[in-house]
Amino acid sequence: MIDAVEVKIDSIRVSLMSQHRVVMLKDLTNERYLPIWIGPAEADAITIELQNMVEVERPLAHDLLNSVIGELGGEVKYILVNDMRDDIFYAQLVIEQNGKTHRIDSRPSDAIALAVRAKVPIYVADKVMDIAITPEEDVQFAEGGARPWMMTN
């Protein structure tokens, strides 16, 4: 694994300016937060699993993916938010199958939704976590002072 820090989901916030949500990932060892814009469907998928809010009649897409990985003899080991280019975050699913490690590119929102279902750690590469904000900056974020790379079109 590359140099990375483990994070947890601190909260999912609603943008008053758009239909998007922001998942706040908190560094487990420092008071740093990484905000990532996600869509409402992915936010709901994460929230449903974390809060055991709703019993769904049929599996959601992330439940299905988790089941398929297991049925094919794989195991999700962790997910990694590994890069940010042109103001877009990138992630990888790290899956072991038959002694081989597979790294599969993913949107961070889908990777996080899968991680909460598979109950595996979430990591953020150090180079990505360098743009994290502190609790003091979080106050500005909450009052609408988002950084330019956090803005949506």
Side-chain angles (χ1 to χ4, degrees), residues 12 42-53 116-117:
I12 296 179
E42 293 79 9
D44 289 347
I46 294 166
T47 303
I48 286 169
E49 184 64 24
L50 287 177
Q51 295 181 350
N52 292 321
M53 292 176 35
V116 297
R117 283 162 175 74

Side-chain angles (χ1 to χ4, degrees), residues 18-143:
S18 72
Q19 293 294 315
H20 288 87
R21 310 293 187 265
V22 179
V23 61
M24 297 295 287
L25 300 178
K26 183 184 184 301
D27 184 336
L28 293 182
T29 58
N30 294 304
E31 286 296 312
R32 298 185 301 170
Y33 296 83
L34 183 68
I36 299 177
W37 291 96
I38 62 175
E42 293 79 9
D44 289 347
I46 294 166
T47 303
I48 286 169
E49 184 64 24
L50 287 177
Q51 295 181 350
N52 292 321
M53 292 176 35
V54 179
E55 180 124 356
V56 293
E57 288 185 31
R58 300 182 330 175
L60 299 174
H62 304 99
D63 299 312
L64 176 62
L65 178 58
N66 194 34
S67 295
V68 168
I69 291 168
E71 287 295 319
L72 294 175
E75 179 183 5
V76 180
K77 299 309 278 183
Y78 61 90
I79 67 115
L80 173 67
V81 179
N82 64 323
D83 204 1
M84 189 180 109
R85 297 185 308 269
D86 299 322
D87 298 335
I88 299 171
F89 289 95
Y90 294 83
Q92 291 181 327
L93 311 175
V94 179
I95 299 170
E96 284 189 7
Q97 180 193 37
N98 299 327
K100 185 176 179 186
T101 300
H102 303 274
R103 293 180 178 273
I104 301 168
D105 290 334
S106 172
R107 297 185 309 173
S109 56
D110 291 325
I112 293 167
L114 178 61
V116 297
R117 283 162 175 74
K119 303 195 180 359
V120 298
I122 301 169
Y123 293 99
V124 176
D126 288 341
K127 69 180 182 179
V128 176
M129 203 65 192
D130 286 343
I131 62 170
I133 60 177
T134 64
E136 294 79 28
E137 291 173 301
D138 189 37
V139 172
Q140 292 177 354
F141 170 75
E143 294 172 355

